[in-house]
């Protein structure tokens, strides 16, 4: 058996017992697939981790950058109280349309708002609205802009908030100084910003599973 088949099998075993998808989550992926969205959503195990982290935070306000079909959005939205709020930023209006339907089917349309446009245009507008600080920010969009997203996350959070950056391994390219691709440079810049910023304490974890070899970074906002 190949190593990645083993990772798949173990991930499937874990999620079957610990993070089974209900009909709503399955339908979200089915409709994302029908609309030909790429299969780059978080896995059920990762979605459940996001949900647990939001619950541990006691999150009332969540910001997501990169909605796709709203799959991670549903996992996160389910961690919120009825008067909670999740704003998710998505560049592609077709993805946002699929996500909006999936979110409505999940009964989360009163909590979740999908905002269409390049996140670097949506974020200053959001900041102008002076929103309550976000308790959790999930960064999962174009990797080249990751340092900008961490920067905006810092402006839109407060002490104790959690910032999560998805996909920080880039197949291992993140540690190859000769690799200067935009996604790798953006990911390195975000990690180095987290590591050096006086208001952040963070770590990064490599993972294997249904999405292969990957990883995420976690950072807590300090005073
Ligand atoms: N969080 C989703 C996956 C997101 S995939 C999940 O796990 O279910 C990354 C998404 O970011 C894609 O939908 C892509 O269209 C979006 N994206 C890419 N560049 C963007 C940008 N500049 N602003 C906002 N969204 C962007
Ligand atoms: C890609 C983006 C993601 O958010 C992800 O989880 C996996 C892959 C990508 O752009 O390739
Ligand atoms: Mg991702």
């Amino acid at each position: 058996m190949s190593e990645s088949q083993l990772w798949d099998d173990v991930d499937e075993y874990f999620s079957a017992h610990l993070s089974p998808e209900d009909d709503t989550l399955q339908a979200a992926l089915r409709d994302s697939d029908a609309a030909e969205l790429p299969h780059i959503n978080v896995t059920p195990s990762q979605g459940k981790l996001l949900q647990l982290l939001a619950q541990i935070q006691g999150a009332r306000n969540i910001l997501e950058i990169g909605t796709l079909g709203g799959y991670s959005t549903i996992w996160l939205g389910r961690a919120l109280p009825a008067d909670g709020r999740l704003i998710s930023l998505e560049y592609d209006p077709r993805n946002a349309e699929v996500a909006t339907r999936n979110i409505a089917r999940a009964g989360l349309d009163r909590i979740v708002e999908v905002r269409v446009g390049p996140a670097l245009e949506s974020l200053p507008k959001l900041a102008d609205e002076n929103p309550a600080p976000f308790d959790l920010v999930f960064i999962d969009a174009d990797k080249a802009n990751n340092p900008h997203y961490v920067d905006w996350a810092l402006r839109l959070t407060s002490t104790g908030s959690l910032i999560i950056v998805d996909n920080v391994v880039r197949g291992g390219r993140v540690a190859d100084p000769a690799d200067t691709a935009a996604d790798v440079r953006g990911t390195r810049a975000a990690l180095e910003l987290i590591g050096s910023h006086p208001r952040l304490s963070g770590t990064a974890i490599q993972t294997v599973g249904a999405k292969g070899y990957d990883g995420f970074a976690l950072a807590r906002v300090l005073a």
Side-chain angles (χ1 to χ4, degrees), residues 13 44 146 191 216:
Y13 165 76
N146 273 344
L191 291 167
F216 61 92

Side-chain angles (χ1 to χ4, degrees), residues 50 53-54 57 59 61-63 76 134-138 162 164:
L50 291 173
L53 289 169
Q57 278 301 95
N61 295 291
I62 295 176
L63 173 64
L76 282 167
F134 291 96
D135 307 299
L136 186 154
V137 180
F138 180 47
L162 190 63
I164 304 164

Side-chain angles (χ1 to χ4, degrees), residues 72-145:
S72 54
T73 320
I74 294 172
W75 281 104
L76 282 167
R78 286 177 169 176
L80 287 171
D83 61 348
R85 191 171 185 220
L86 191 163
I87 296 179
S88 189
L89 310 180
E90 172 54 46
Y91 170 76
D92 188 329
R94 290 166 305 172
N95 297 356
E97 206 182 297
V98 175
T100 301
R101 280 200 304 272
N102 286 335
I103 288 159
R105 179 170 38 213
L108 291 168
D109 41 336
R110 278 196 303 271
I111 289 177
V112 175
E113 187 191 336
V114 179
R115 297 191 178 185
V116 183
L120 288 179
E121 287 180 18
S122 304
L123 286 161
K125 287 184 203 154
L126 177 59
D128 282 347
E129 296 167 23
N130 256 322
F134 291 96
D135 307 299
L136 186 154
V137 180
F138 180 47
I139 299 173
D140 192 22
D142 49 329
K143 313 308 176 191
N145 279 319

Side-chain angles (χ1 to χ4, degrees), residues 122-222:
S122 304
L123 286 161
K125 287 184 203 154
L126 177 59
D128 282 347
E129 296 167 23
N130 256 322
F134 291 96
D135 307 299
L136 186 154
V137 180
F138 180 47
I139 299 173
D140 192 22
D142 49 329
K143 313 308 176 191
N145 279 319
N146 273 344
H148 304 299
Y149 297 149
V150 171
D151 220 37
W152 276 106
L154 266 168
R155 294 192 226 183
L156 293 165
T157 52
S158 61
T159 304
S161 296
L162 190 63
I163 301 171
I164 304 164
V165 186
D166 199 19
N167 316 118
V168 296
V169 170
R170 318 310 304 153
R173 291 181 297 131
V174 71
D176 176 2
D179 197 314
T180 56
D183 64 324
V184 171
R185 279 190 291 128
T187 299
R188 274 204 288 261
L191 291 167
E192 288 164 27
L193 178 59
I194 291 171
S196 61
H197 200 288
R199 288 188 59 223
L200 288 173
S201 170
T203 189
I205 297 294
Q206 302 179 66
T207 59
V208 294
K211 283 179 80 174
Y213 171 46
D214 205 341
F216 61 92
L218 262 185
R220 183 168 193 269
V221 178
L222 308 173

